[in-house]
Amino acid sequence: MKEVRECCCHHPETKEELYEALNQVLDKYERKESNLIQILHMTQAIFGYLPEDVLKYIAEEMDLPLSKIFGVVTFYSLFSTQPKGRHTIQVCMGTACYVKGADKVLNEILDKLGIKLGETTKDGRFSVQVMRCIGACGLAPAISIDGDILKHVTVNMVDDILKRYE
Amino acid sequence: MSQTIAIKSYEDLLNVKERYINRHKQYEYTILVCSGASCISSNCLNVKNALEAELEKAGMRDKVLLKQTGCVGFCDVGPIVIVEPDGVFYCKLKPEDMEMLVQRHLVGKEIVEELCFLDNKSGERVPYVRDIDFFKEQLKIVFAKCGVIDYSDIDEYIATDGYKAIYKALTEMTPDEVIEEVGKAGLRGRGGGGFPTAFKWRAARQAQGDQKYVICNADEGDPGAFMDRSLLEGDPHAVIEGIMIAGYAVGADKCIVYVRAEYPLAVERLTAAIEKAREYGLLGENIFNTAFNYDIEIRIGAGAFVCGEETALINSVEGKRGEPRQKPPYPAEAGLFGKPTVINNVETFGNIAPIILKGSEWFAKVGTEKSNGTKVFALAGDISNTGIVEVPIGTPLRKVVENIGGGVPNKKAFKAAQIGGPSGGCIPSELFEIPLDYNNLTEIGAMMGSGGLIVLDENTCMVDIAKFFLEFTVDESCGKCTPCRVGTRRLYELLEKITEGKGTMEDIDKLEELCYHIKENSLCGLGQSAPNPVLSTLKFFRDEYVAHVDKKQCPAGICKSLLSYVILEDKCTGCTLCSRVCPVGCISGSVKQPHKINQDVCIKCGACFERCKFSAIVRK
Ligand SMILES: Cc1cc2nc3c(=O)[nH]c(=O)nc-3n(C[C@H](O)[C@H](O)[C@H](O)COP(=O)(O)O)c2cc1C
Ligand code: SF4
Ligand code: SF4
Ligand code: FES
């Protein structure tokens, strides 16, 4: 799982290197259908998202119909076929966070960034998503930026928090 | 540190224990640094580093053992350390406090009062763990070692009787006897359904098949629950041992742990623990020199609530879309890859080793007549002490909320507790004394669920809460069957209409009818239970629904469309504070003159209301 987190930051790698890394993943998981979800996780970690070309490549390598792969990708909310910003803000909208005003924090973030939920800022700096409970309910409302959990976030803190990420 | 040894006998376990004790003899103090996920986000690692540096400075490095533990449960007051053997609890620590802690407690042998827990009710500092209400009222079976031992140290797990239960099962009991024991203990599944565990195990044991599987459900989908995560992070070996015993009982040699992707730390610690167990020969072939072979593999989910449902989970492990399957056949007959499969929740597995080790009679003494043992709850919402608590089943809600949870903060009144997440319901203040057990909760239209317990104060709108859960289920319905896919959306739309003040009394009836239709006609538990939050709030808070419809009012002042903010002329001093905070600039008035809100422009953000020092702004 560590690897997944470390790889989200778009290293300046060549296409060949990225595909080389993908091949290693495919080898490791023996191109087995039952490993598809784990393979997609790793692929997303390598490429930052799941580009269509890459999914086609996986389909060929695994000898699965592309429609089947798309079916799986679209089913799970953590898979994304769109490129993400340099930083991903995940606002928890689980029960505990909602009760503690997470919706206000979310609106503030979106207002400040001038985007809608699920979008990426024009300068490619931030993407904003909502999550259903990140397991930090005792710290509600919680948001996670690039995997770091920030606790007891209030509307007034948003500006400062955003400034910390370039 | 610890040289690798293959553990093959009881003696080997004892040797590890002895080695552990010997290695720790030199220490005068042990300091436990809570390193649960919550404390990590409170920067407990900086505290730990500062503590290390201070110990070095004081020349006490070899007298004091620093131990990183899993969650002690009291997440709200982190970073936390406990100084043993004194049993003193320090909380809300900052790195710069460490000098004082080392110098005064460890060198000077006095308690550092100002770093101790402040009890809001008495206004006093409470230094000892044993005196703090939050801990005093709990009974820990599953979480007994979580927050006490170093989660990464298999030796310490073994030194505290770990892996003795699997040894006992393998060498002294037949698989049937194991199942019998779990059955006599009366253990019911902790993942939500409350199904008797032994029942499932027996079915899987009797099912025909050369290959059988155990699955550990660590999907923890209830948005507002974090018990399973805390156990996996704080005592992974306890879960592993439970999983092994299940494997032996049903005749499986392989287990899959399905963990949600949102829990990277749990995955990391569980992976490390599995590797350690393999290194010690506790996983692998011929475990304890018996014919029992076993291994565990981790699978990571990808963000779909329905994958917590057992048959959907099985599809997901097979690499497919996580859509539920028709039951029967049950997983115990035809589960993963069509093979007999036992699937249990993390907390359920956490109960197994204690039952085998201490016996079903001991276990059955805890809890109520019909439900034995403890239940772990994740306390959150409008409550002073958020965190993880474990209590005997049947403990009254009031005790959990008031004594352990410290009550509702900010002098507000308790309105209801939401239990069981999106499949559960609410418990209103009239039922504050209700004993928390499976049957009682089902009777009032709520459910034990997996253990998410969200406390709601008087400023909560129950219609809004129902809407919140429906929004969740609409999002998470897998879409396979129409009553759930379309029905939940219709429910959501009706709720939206009501909260916007556009609802009619007819809508309330429609809402109710639709709820029953969805419950009866959905394929899986998600759809069947999705209407519960609506039905349960309708049952206990119907007047609130009616107020939204009839009077176009939201009694709690939450639903924006039904609110307006008004400035009382006679109270307004014209201080201009409100006009300065209004984000849309819709408050007008000159200095020292009463101000006025332009209702057409006001976005009802409430900023002015919160800012006014003269209570001149009211919410209607
Ligand atoms: C929509 C839905 C979501 C569920 N989510 C979970 C979950 O996150 N964790 C869990 O242990 N059980 C969950 N369950 C219950 C499982 O289907 C299954 O009953 C449980 O894992 C069995 O374990 P137990 O008998 O030990 O409780 C869910 C059920 C439904 C219908
Ligand atoms: S009830 Fe809902 S979640 Fe369950 S199978 Fe039907 S559509 Fe899917
Ligand atoms: S509620 Fe918000 S928008 Fe309306 S007047 Fe007050 S500050 Fe302005
Ligand atoms: S509800 Fe936000 S972390 Fe659980």
Side-chain angles (χ1 to χ4, degrees), chain B residues 571-573 575 611-617:
Chain B
K571 282 203 175 165
C572 174
T573 62
C575 75
R611 197 50 77 87
C612 181
K613 291 183 186 143
F614 306 97
S615 311
I617 304 180

Side-chain angles (χ1 to χ4, degrees), chain B residues 55-129:
Chain B
L55 288 173
E56 196 74 53
K57 236 169 52 193
M60 297 188 76
R61 205 63 192 85
D62 50 355
K63 287 205 196 98
V64 182
L65 172 68
L66 266 191
K67 213 156 81 173
Q68 272 182 260
T69 71
C71 180
V72 299
F74 210 164
C75 303
D76 203 40
V77 297
I80 294 168
V81 310
I82 299 175
V83 180
E84 296 289 8
D86 303 351
V88 176
F89 183 84
Y90 293 116
C91 58
K92 296 200 175 169
L93 297 172
K94 292 191 255 355
E96 52 276 23
D97 297 331
M98 290 306 104
E99 184 177 357
M100 186 152 76
L101 193 144
V102 170
Q103 289 305 328
R104 282 173 48 195
H105 191 132
L106 304 182
V107 180
K109 315 262 179 231
E110 62 163 320
I111 288 171
V112 191
E113 187 90 2
E114 56 267 48
L115 298 180
C116 291
F117 172 65
L118 179 68
D119 187 330
N120 280 333
K121 272 187 265 173
S122 65
E124 278 172 26
R125 300 267 172 190
V126 191
Y128 295 103
V129 175

